[in-house]
Amino acid sequence: MSQSSQDETIKCIEGYVNPQSEESKKTSSLNSILLGLVSKRIDIQDIVLGLGDYLNTKDSILRARGTLLLSEVLCRLPDYKLNQDQIHFLSMFYCDRLQDTPCAAEVVKEVHPSSLTHAHRKMVLQIIEIMFNKCLGEIQELKNDFMVGYLQFIDNEKDPRNLIYSFKLMPKVIYNIPEHKNFLESLFEILSCYFPISFNPKGNDPNAITRDDLSNSLLNCFSCTPLFAEYSIPFLIDKICSNLVETKIEALKALVYCCDRYGGEAIRPFLEDIWSALRTQILTHKNASVIEESKKTIFYLCKSLTKDQKVLESFLAIMIRECLHHIKSSQDSKIAIYCASILYQAISSSLLSSKIILIHVLPNLFKFFKELQQEDSVTKTNEQNSVLGLFSDLLKANSLAFDINSTSDTEVINPLTPFVEQLYQLFTDLLVNPSSAIRASSIECLSFLYISKKVKTNENGENEFLLDIEKRQVIIKNLVSLLNENDSTLRHKSLESLFNIASNENPKVINEYAIPTLLQMINSVHTDSTTTDQLKDLKNYLEAFSKLCTHQPLLESVIPQIQILIQHNIKDTYQNEQDFQKCILILKAISSILEKSTNQVTMTICSDSILLPLIKGLYKQIIFSSPTTFNLDYFNQILTASLKMIHSIVENTSLDSQTKKLYSLIDLFLKGDLKVLGFTDDEISNKQILPFENNITKENENIRLLIPIFTTCISQSKSDLSSNDQLKQSLYEMSLNTNVSETTSISCNKAYASILNKQPDDVNNYPTDFEFFENNLIKVIKSPESPIEYRIRCLDLLTWCTKALLTNGNKINIQLGNCISDIISTVTDSNEITSRASKSFDILLDNTDVLNEKSGSVIKILYDQKFFTLMFPILLESFKKYKATPSISSHYLMAISYLLRHVPKEVLLSELNEILPIVMQSLKSNDSNSLELLESSLQTLKMLINETPNSFISYLDSLIPSLIQISVKSPQYNLRRLALEILTLISKLLPFHNLFQFKQDVTTGIIPCLDDKKRIVRKQASNCRNNWFILQK
Amino acid sequence: MSDNPNPVIYVQENEIKDEEDVLMSSRYSLGEDELDPFDEEEIFDLVRNITDPEHPLTLEQLNVVRVENINIDIKKSYIRLYFTPTVPHCSMANLIGLSIKEKLARSLPKRFKVDVIVTPGSHSSESSGKYIYTIVNYY
């Protein structure tokens, strides 16, 4: 080997071994050595020679690094060939190293941490850890000496990187060195000064130690031996009583964690202290989060103490004694109510604690309640009510504990079992109490008693309750009788309770009494004598019925009754206005029931038993009415409610059961096959009902009213109907028919669009090519010769078709969008058309009742974002181009605003630089016909401020005065309110130093809003002004 | 130690909080020209959620303010609000009074004259006149 390469090797070794070298130098030195070895320029002997003194030096760090280099070389080059002698030599060397460890331990003892840099201290810690892994025996022999050295070493460490290492090492030391027992106090003292961890990592720290890391590993040290309990629990209790909210909460969490790991025995001596600290926090502290955390602590403590029944019993005994004392001395006071919540937490934590507490507390409460009643049953109402509240809390908590903690094992007994009779008696007696508040509370208690289970669930998957069926029936009867109570709290409470019961009880039981009674009540509202009072009764019963029906299994069982209700209430003739009011209320209630149900199985049953009878009812209204009896207003109201039902039913039915129904409906509407609805020949004698027919006589016009029924079904159908040309043609023509109402035409648009959306791409039948739209619709819209109504119909259809093709990602969608944008500037003869064209951008991206997932539409992923990225520049360009003509540019601005409203936030943020100036400009525009523009800009602004408040800092100068202006001057209260809402948002989200200069302007500027004529504006104004007064850094 | 560590808690009346409920509620008329006059309940809404200086509870929960104890005379633009400290020797009474006063001063138009007064018979030093706050021309 040449002299130069030897020098180089030595330099590299030097570079690696020297602890002062930079990390990069170390790496490059090591790499060049490795490369030298691989290329055979140097061999292992040279390295050993070069290391020479380092391997024998007395400086342990240098020796360690020397050894490390050699080891690195061997590990990194596993394929490097060694001869016999070299292997022998190296093995001997490493054997030697192993015997070096006691010396290392001596070194540890002698090291003075304060004299070392943090990197060296870390190395020492690493060495200790290695020794624990490699030669535990030798360290254990050092006994107290090791502990002394160790303690000295870890004391006073401040560097977070070392701290976390040291915290992680601590449990190892404690598990392995029995002598730690002699040093517990000093150990804890060293540890405790770090609690609570206050450390804010720098943002760019590559080692990225977080506060949580440190905090968790410290907690791990605290809890690693139960022997620490003696020091840590008083310490933590002291911290819980400190003045800082954060410290309190941290200490509470630590307490839970430690107690759980120490186990019951270790904390037994501290139970009184723990309780008294927690109690003080809950009963006297002002901060709600501290109270909440303390309550949680009680919950978790009780939960973890379940492992040790004796300890749990003594802890609960202290708690019960004190809580009962407070409850007895003042039932409705803050402390008593908070004591109730403590008991609630303890009971819900586990079945065992529930059992212990209930056995002690319930008999006391019974006795006590009786005393209260005897004392003075009238004036003590508030007190009695609070005790009832406690009863209901206890029952609720017990149910919680029982449901969560018991297994399906039938041997678990509900802790409530011994008290069931007594509780039932007490609550049912109270149902006749003169005070309605007490009755309301006892209803609630009864419902919780009702749903208390005997076993979790029995073999049949049904609930088995503590109360027998007779008692349960009595409760249900009582609740039902209260459903029409005049007192609204009482009524709501009983409905709530009944619903609570229905959600847990077998539908059979509810169907036995509650549902039939309700239906009877609903039907028995007599129409000849219907007064407003009776309508109110009806509303109450319907509310109850709808609420109960939101429970899915129950709804399923009452579908036949719903069908009968529909049949009875869509009548050929109504006796009078009241009669009609009654029926429409019932229909509306049913439609809201169906709207809330999304279960496919249930809705398929509905579709089988409700859909056709419903449509038949509507048909009858048209067919059998004479022009004199037909009431268009009534029909429209019935139709609206029915359409909602049809929509919900079809939307949630499975494809299979849908398809068959659809084909028969197509027969019904396009071919006039009335047999589909089950009409007999006699009934329909020669009647021709073809709603889509082109030539309809004046007297037959009403049958057009049936069209929305059909279109609703078609737009919600999941199947592809595009091969039916007759269907498409009919819908297309009806969409453009100017003789039908706009709603009918729009409903045809929607149905046509839904079919278009599902039409497969490869099918060449009309009309998914651009020319079709160009020739048939766009030309008409642009030609001033055509009647304006017809042009509007064309535009509407174009919009909906564009939406359909946009949703399924058809290529021509952007072309169509471009055309609509074009219409805004080219059609100059009709303001109505231009403003409709700009509004259509709202429809294009809006979530509508059609073309969504539920209706089985083809939805291309991210279609909206794609459309936005293509469309936005086009609109922006046009806006800039027509800036000089406000009548056009304002419509473009509207279109842009509508577009922005529906764009995902991320996309919006990326376009922020373009968008913000536009929004700001529209706020200032004083055009009186641009109120809609203003509203949509304000909506956009509100969303943007919520998302990215800081982008507005540079606009505040002009933004705030504009908002104040709008909030004071705008003619629409909705705009005034929005402006104030945005001002409030600004005060909450932007930095203080940017806002402060505007404080005076806002607080005086919006004073007139405090006297606004609309209450809703005043509410927002006072909220806004108060927020600006208390701006905070 | 606070003056009344263990006050009685009262049930809250239902307050409209949800955005949707606001629009549904009959208290907010929808017509652009309809007028919603100030009423007692609106004043109560302004003060009900002020937090007590000593407990994590609102003035409503402690029955310090009640809707029945607010009078409003629209014609004379005059509002009188009585508040009731939880105990007669409550040293926080003037702080509560001032909080109510300030909240109303910030939230009501200046045409109103507002008197915030401790309920007669509810405080030991009420006669000293210390607990009557009048808001006039506070801008």
Side-chain angles (χ1 to χ4, degrees):
Chain A
M1 186 163 80
S2 69
Q3 184 63 35
S4 65
S5 76
Q6 187 154 17
D7 284 349
E8 199 190 324
T9 312
I10 287 174
K11 214 183 265 166
C12 288
I13 291 173
E14 174 91 4
Y16 184 81
V17 173
N18 187 352
Q20 259 90 34
S21 300
E22 282 171 20
E23 204 57 52
S24 59
K25 188 171 175 197
K26 287 180 191 164
T27 322
S28 65
S29 314
L30 179 59
N31 283 338
S32 61
I33 293 173
L34 292 174
L35 282 175
L37 279 169
V38 173
S39 63
K40 302 226 156 71
R41 266 189 292 114
I42 49 177
D43 72 38
I44 195 90
Q45 241 148 334
D46 301 324
I47 311 240
V48 175
L49 273 177
L51 276 168
D53 282 347
Y54 288 125
L55 296 178
N56 288 320
T57 172
K58 281 191 178 150
D59 183 334
S60 61
I61 307 292
L62 284 180
R63 199 165 74 235
R65 286 207 66 84
T67 318
L68 184 63
L69 174 62
L70 194 60
S71 314
E72 280 278 0
V73 167
L74 292 173
C75 291
R76 298 271 291 269
L77 299 174
D79 294 335
Y80 189 74
K81 298 271 184 300
L82 294 172
N83 64 29
Q84 188 86 37
D85 284 347
Q86 282 168 331
I87 292 178
H88 182 72
F89 173 77
L90 287 170
S91 335
M92 287 305 288
F93 172 75
Y94 279 105
C95 287
D96 248 18
R97 287 302 98 192
L98 288 179
Q99 275 153 23
D100 194 10
T101 44
C103 306
E106 286 294 322
V107 169
V108 170
K109 229 168 68 182
E110 297 300 321
V111 170
H112 295 286
S114 47
S115 62
L116 296 176
T117 65
H118 79 84
H120 288 169
R121 292 201 303 274
K122 182 169 184 181
M123 264 177 233
V124 175
L125 287 168
Q126 277 171 328
I127 291 168
I128 298 178
E129 195 188 10
I130 293 169
M131 293 190 304
F132 265 100
N133 293 338
K134 297 267 150 107
C135 43
L136 192 57
E138 270 102 350
I139 296 185
Q140 279 170 333
E141 266 170 42
L142 287 170
K143 296 187 179 167
N144 284 350
D145 289 350
F146 175 82
M147 285 310 291
V148 171
Y150 176 70
L151 280 176
Q152 189 185 30
F153 190 77
I154 58 171
D155 198 4
N156 260 331
E157 179 62 66
K158 288 195 184 71
D159 187 278
R161 287 162 292 184
N162 289 357
L163 261 184
I164 202 154
Y165 216 96
S166 154
F167 289 161
K168 281 183 179 156
L169 196 56
M170 175 80 89
K172 258 188 198 165
V173 173
I174 288 178
Y175 295 141
N176 293 313
I177 314 286
E179 284 73 20
H180 73 269
K181 294 193 176 86
N182 309 332
F183 298 91
L184 281 171
E185 197 170 354
S186 342
L187 262 176
F188 189 76
E189 206 172 298
I190 291 170
L191 282 176
S192 64
C193 62
Y194 297 109
F195 187 91
I197 298 275
S198 54
F199 166 62
N200 292 316
K202 286 177 203 136
N204 51 3
D205 184 359
N207 293 324
I209 290 175
T210 63
R211 196 185 158 277
D212 280 353
D213 289 342
L214 277 172
S215 192
N216 289 339
S217 44
L218 176 62
L219 215 52
N220 217 10
C221 296
F222 271 22
S223 58
C224 66
T225 163
L227 295 172
F228 269 156
E230 189 188 338
Y231 308 101
S232 68
I233 293 182
F235 171 78
L236 288 172
I237 288 177
D238 187 50
K239 291 286 170 193
I240 290 173
C241 301
S242 87
N243 287 326
L244 282 169
V245 170
E246 292 77 25
T247 311
K248 275 175 191 291
I249 289 179
E250 186 95 341
L252 284 166
K253 286 183 175 153
L255 183 71
V256 169
Y257 188 78
C258 291
C259 288
D260 189 41
R261 300 220 8 210
Y262 293 158
E265 271 319 307
I267 56 172
R268 184 197 279 278
F270 305 100
L271 291 176
E272 286 270 2
D273 297 341
I274 293 177
W275 162 250
S276 108
L278 291 175
R279 178 209 51 196
T280 313
Q281 298 311 314
I282 297 177
L283 300 186
T284 62
H285 204 266
K286 287 177 214 169
N287 186 310
S289 61
V290 171
I291 297 177
E292 209 36 56
E293 192 62 42
S294 313
K295 284 185 192 167
K296 260 199 238 162
T297 308
I298 292 207
F299 176 85
Y300 287 118
L301 266 184
C302 292
K303 204 178 168 82
S304 97
L305 285 180
T306 348
K307 289 175 269 180
D308 206 327
Q309 188 171 349
K310 288 239 167 73
V311 183
L312 179 64
E313 269 170 7
S314 31
F315 184 62
L316 291 178
I318 306 170
M319 179 191 293
I320 293 168
R321 195 177 57 224
E322 186 151 358
C323 285
L324 272 181
H325 166 76
H326 285 305
I327 290 164
K328 280 187 181 171
S329 50
S330 58
Q331 305 72 39
D332 52 354
S333 65
K334 174 189 161 192
I335 288 183
I337 288 169
Y338 281 29
C339 279
S341 67
I342 293 176
L343 288 177
Y344 181 91
Q345 294 295 341
I347 292 181
S348 55
S349 71
S350 76
L351 268 182
L352 184 60
S353 23
S354 176
K355 195 170 153 195
I356 298 171
I357 296 177
L358 290 182
I359 281 183
H360 282 94
V361 171
L362 282 180
N364 268 303
L365 279 183
F366 284 132
K367 210 171 117 212
F368 180 58
F369 194 77
K370 224 169 231 145
E371 282 166 22
L372 271 180
Q373 278 179 309
Q374 279 158 1
E375 209 173 303
D376 191 341
S377 58
V378 182
T379 52
K380 292 273 179 185
T381 307
N382 206 13
E383 285 83 346
Q384 286 184 33
N385 208 14
S386 306
V387 178
L388 278 177
L390 178 57
F391 269 121
S392 105
D393 276 354
L394 297 183
L395 293 178
K396 218 188 301 179
N398 179 59
S399 290
L400 215 61
F402 191 71
D403 284 352
I404 295 170
N405 297 317
S406 70
T407 48
S408 53
D409 177 9
T410 42
E411 271 153 51
V412 182
I413 296 169
N414 192 325
L416 214 52
T417 316
F419 305 102
V420 170
E421 294 300 317
Q422 212 176 345
L423 285 166
Y424 177 76
Q425 203 53 47
L426 174 69
F427 300 145
T428 39
D429 288 351
L430 286 173
L431 285 176
V432 291
N433 194 290
S435 149
S436 69
I438 288 195
R439 278 190 315 226
S441 310
S442 55
I443 289 170
E444 194 179 305
C445 291
L446 271 178
S447 80
F448 284 117
L449 183 62
Y450 189 116
I451 60 167
S452 299
K453 292 165 198 151
K454 200 184 222 162
V455 290
K456 202 167 183 191
T457 34
N458 67 8
E459 319 79 63
N460 308 328
E462 283 169 6
N463 291 326
E464 219 173 279
F465 298 95
L466 280 176
L467 288 173
D468 55 48
I469 184 74
E470 285 81 27
K471 295 212 170 77
R472 270 149 49 208
Q473 293 283 21
V474 172
I475 295 180
I476 291 184
K477 277 180 190 158
N478 272 308
L479 290 177
V480 171
S481 72
L482 286 168
L483 287 177
N484 194 29
E485 178 64 44
N486 272 332
D487 182 335
S488 69
T489 11
L490 203 51
R491 198 174 62 231
H492 283 139
K493 192 66 95 184
S494 43
L495 176 52
E496 216 174 89
S497 306
L498 194 58
F499 180 69
N500 191 11
I501 290 172
S503 326
N504 287 284
E505 175 63 285
N506 187 335
K508 247 194 275 167
V509 181
I510 305 293
N511 273 324
E512 247 161 60
Y513 182 81
I515 295 288
T517 317
L518 272 176
L519 287 171
Q520 200 187 341
M521 295 297 186
I522 290 170
N523 287 323
S524 69
V525 175
H526 280 297
T527 45
D528 38 348
S529 64
T530 310
T531 56
T532 34
D533 262 2
Q534 280 200 306
L535 275 186
K536 222 172 81 196
D537 292 355
L538 180 65
K539 271 186 198 158
N540 291 340
Y541 289 126
L542 283 174
E543 190 195 347
F545 184 62
S546 325
K547 172 91 183 169
L548 289 182
C549 283
T550 50
H551 182 54
Q552 208 63 40
L554 195 60
L555 172 61
E556 219 173 294
S557 64
V558 298
I559 290 175
Q561 281 90 322
I562 292 183
Q563 188 210 332
I564 295 169
L565 271 182
I566 292 177
Q567 268 172 351
H568 284 185
N569 288 293
I570 300 185
K571 301 183 189 173
D572 300 344
T573 47
Y574 294 94
Q575 295 164 9
N576 49 30
E577 176 67 22
Q578 274 87 3
D579 186 21
F580 174 73
Q581 286 305 333
K582 174 196 156 189
C583 294
I584 198 76
L585 272 179
I586 294 174
L587 292 175
K588 277 184 182 162
I590 295 176
S591 87
S592 85
I593 292 173
L594 296 179
E595 215 170 344
K596 283 182 199 126
S597 160
T598 50
N599 182 299
Q600 216 182 52
V601 180
T602 319
M603 294 311 265
T604 306
I605 304 176
C606 281
S607 139
D608 289 339
S609 51
I610 294 180
L611 190 60
L612 291 183
L614 174 63
I615 296 177
K616 185 176 178 184
L618 294 168
Y619 255 74
K620 273 179 163 171
Q621 293 256 308
I622 298 290
I623 302 177
F624 301 129
S625 65
S626 61
T628 44
T629 55
F630 184 72
N631 185 328
L632 182 63
D633 182 41
Y634 284 1
F635 180 77
N636 277 334
Q637 288 192 48
I638 295 174
L639 186 68
T640 317
S642 309
L643 284 180
K644 273 192 196 153
M645 295 185 221
I646 295 174
H647 182 277
S648 322
I649 293 175
V650 182
E651 180 183 64
N652 291 303
T653 322
S654 64
L655 178 65
D656 289 344
S657 53
Q658 243 183 18
T659 317
K660 221 178 125 206
K661 290 249 156 44
L662 276 174
Y663 286 127
S664 39
L665 284 178
I666 291 174
D667 285 345
L668 171 66
F669 277 84
L670 299 183
K671 300 189 182 128
D673 181 3
L674 287 175
K675 295 221 174 69
V676 170
L677 294 178
F679 282 110
T680 59
D681 285 333
D682 293 345
E683 280 176 307
I684 47 175
S685 58
N686 304 329
K687 286 206 192 246
Q688 264 283 3
I689 308 289
L690 289 166
F692 283 95
E693 205 175 38
N694 275 330
N695 307 312
I696 275 186
T697 51
K698 193 81 183 149
E699 55 268 26
N700 264 340
E701 233 175 33
N702 280 344
I703 65 169
R704 296 270 202 232
L705 296 171
L706 296 167
I707 290 177
I709 303 172
F710 183 57
T711 52
T712 306
C713 294
I714 297 287
S715 11
Q716 297 308 321
S717 82
K718 294 183 181 68
S719 45
D720 169 25
L721 299 166
S722 60
S723 51
N724 190 336
D725 285 338
Q726 192 203 352
L727 171 66
K728 281 200 286 188
Q729 191 57 34
S730 310
L731 287 171
Y732 179 81
E733 280 167 13
M734 198 48 67
S735 295
L736 299 181
N737 192 329
T738 48
N739 291 325
V740 296
S741 70
E742 187 174 318
T743 28
T744 310
S745 145
I746 296 279
S747 80
C748 291
N749 284 340
K750 288 181 180 176
Y752 187 69
S754 305
I755 297 177
L756 213 57
N757 172 275
K758 286 168 210 135
Q759 176 166 311
D761 247 352
D762 52 339
V763 181
N764 264 342
N765 52 6
Y766 92 114
T768 43
D769 54 345
F770 182 67
E771 271 123 63
F772 173 83
F773 294 106
E774 169 91 59
N775 296 332
N776 292 294
L777 299 175
I778 297 169
K779 267 190 191 150
V780 181
I781 299 170
K782 287 187 180 169
S783 81
E785 294 86 41
S786 316
I788 193 94
E789 283 172 354
Y790 185 58
R791 289 164 69 194
I792 288 176
R793 290 278 140 99
C794 287
L795 177 59
D796 285 345
L797 183 60
L798 179 67
T799 308
W800 280 98
C801 290
T802 311
K803 186 174 170 65
L805 298 176
L806 166 65
T807 314
N808 73 8
N810 191 299
K811 286 186 289 287
I812 65 167
N813 70 53
I814 193 70
Q815 256 173 306
L816 292 171
N818 214 341
C819 284
I820 300 179
S821 152
D822 202 32
I823 290 169
I824 297 180
S825 53
T826 48
V827 175
T828 48
D829 63 317
S830 159
N831 193 34
E832 202 182 340
I833 290 185
T834 26
S835 99
R836 238 171 219 260
S838 65
K839 248 181 238 165
S840 61
F841 285 96
D842 190 26
I843 299 173
L844 286 182
L845 292 180
D846 200 7
N847 289 325
T848 49
D849 55 346
V850 296
L851 294 172
N852 49 23
E853 224 166 305
K854 278 262 174 184
S855 58
S857 302
V858 183
I859 300 174
K860 177 108 172 178
I861 189 163
L862 294 180
Y863 74 90
D864 43 355
Q865 299 196 23
K866 248 178 234 162
F867 184 71
F868 175 80
T869 16
L870 293 171
M871 205 61 226
F872 181 65
I874 298 173
L875 290 174
L876 194 66
E877 196 54 40
S878 316
F879 170 72
K880 285 177 182 158
K881 191 167 148 199
Y882 292 98
K883 228 172 183 173
T885 359
S887 61
I888 295 177
S889 69
S890 76
H891 282 127
Y892 275 113
L893 201 51
M894 287 269 277
I896 292 175
S897 281
Y898 281 129
L899 210 55
L900 291 180
R901 232 193 250 181
H902 303 294
V903 166
K905 313 257 143 60
E906 309 82 59
V907 182
L908 200 61
L909 295 185
S910 65
E911 304 282 348
L912 211 59
N913 286 337
E914 294 278 13
I915 296 166
L916 275 186
I918 299 178
V919 174
M920 299 302 294
Q921 181 175 0
S922 65
L923 286 189
K924 281 190 206 141
S925 78
N926 284 321
D927 200 352
S928 60
N929 60 19
S930 65
L931 287 177
E932 282 176 40
L933 168 68
L934 189 58
E935 183 177 352
S936 90
S937 315
L938 285 175
Q939 293 281 13
T940 318
L941 191 65
K942 181 174 148 193
M943 170 181 71
L944 287 174
I945 291 187
N946 250 325
E947 284 307 310
T948 140
N950 289 336
S951 356
F952 285 87
I953 289 174
S954 51
Y955 293 93
L956 286 178
D957 279 334
S958 60
L959 180 60
I960 288 185
S962 320
L963 287 172
I964 295 177
Q965 184 80 359
I966 296 167
S967 69
V968 178
K969 298 255 168 74
S970 171
Q972 287 191 3
Y973 73 89
N974 213 12
L975 299 182
R976 299 198 294 273
R977 178 176 166 216
L978 254 176
L980 287 167
E981 209 177 317
I982 295 173
L983 277 173
T984 318
L985 273 181
I986 292 178
S987 77
K988 285 182 187 159
L989 298 174
L990 268 73
F992 174 78
H993 59 269
N994 296 110
L995 292 181
F996 183 68
Q997 51 173 320
F998 300 104
K999 180 174 172 174
Q1000 191 70 31
D1001 297 349
V1002 178
T1003 50
T1004 47
I1006 64 169
I1007 286 176
C1009 305
L1010 295 175
D1011 213 358
D1012 200 282
K1013 62 185 169 187
K1014 306 303 284 183
R1015 184 171 287 135
I1016 201 159
V1017 179
R1018 295 200 296 265
K1019 191 181 164 92
Q1020 193 63 53
S1022 99
N1023 187 10
C1024 177
R1025 194 158 184 264
N1026 278 291
N1027 265 310
W1028 275 87
F1029 266 115
I1030 52 165
L1031 283 184
Q1032 268 171 356
K1033 274 184 196 173
Chain B
M1 195 58 198
S2 58
D3 291 323
N4 181 14
N6 191 17
V8 172
I9 301 180
Y10 295 83
V11 185
Q12 270 173 283
E13 299 287 320
N14 298 327
E15 189 191 2
I16 304 162
K17 278 209 172 122
D18 212 325
E19 190 84 348
E20 293 222 337
D21 291 353
V22 167
L23 295 173
M24 302 296 283
S25 161
S26 56
R27 284 185 48 74
Y28 302 94
S29 63
L30 296 173
E32 206 61 67
D33 296 318
E34 274 174 83
L35 190 98
D36 301 329
F38 278 90
D39 62 7
E40 284 83 1
E41 213 166 310
E42 187 170 341
I43 311 297
F44 183 59
D45 275 344
L46 293 172
V47 293
R48 68 197 304 180
N49 285 325
I50 298 175
T51 316
D52 183 86
E54 288 180 335
H55 303 283
L57 300 164
T58 64
L59 295 188
E60 182 187 11
Q61 283 173 313
L62 295 175
N63 243 11
V64 174
V65 289
R66 296 173 65 102
V67 71
E68 302 90 289
N69 291 344
I70 301 172
N71 294 312
I72 178 164
D73 185 335
I74 298 281
K75 275 190 200 139
K76 292 185 188 157
S77 289
Y78 176 68
I79 294 169
R80 182 168 42 208
L81 182 149
Y82 289 105
F83 70 100
T84 323
T86 55
V87 282
H89 51 84
C90 179
S91 62
M92 292 291 166
N94 53 11
L95 183 54
I96 296 175
L98 280 169
S99 309
I100 298 174
K101 187 219 104 166
E102 188 56 24
K103 179 80 199 242
L104 291 180
R106 288 173 180 182
S107 314
L108 289 173
K110 56 179 161 186
R111 65 187 163 95
F112 281 107
K113 177 178 186 291
V114 185
D115 280 341
V116 176
I117 308 166
V118 73
T119 316
S122 70
H123 200 266
S124 45
S125 55
E126 66 192 72
S127 54
S128 67
K130 233 164 82 185
Y131 299 120
I132 301 177
Y133 306 97
T134 303
I135 312 171
V136 252
N137 276 340
Y138 36 76
Y139 298 109

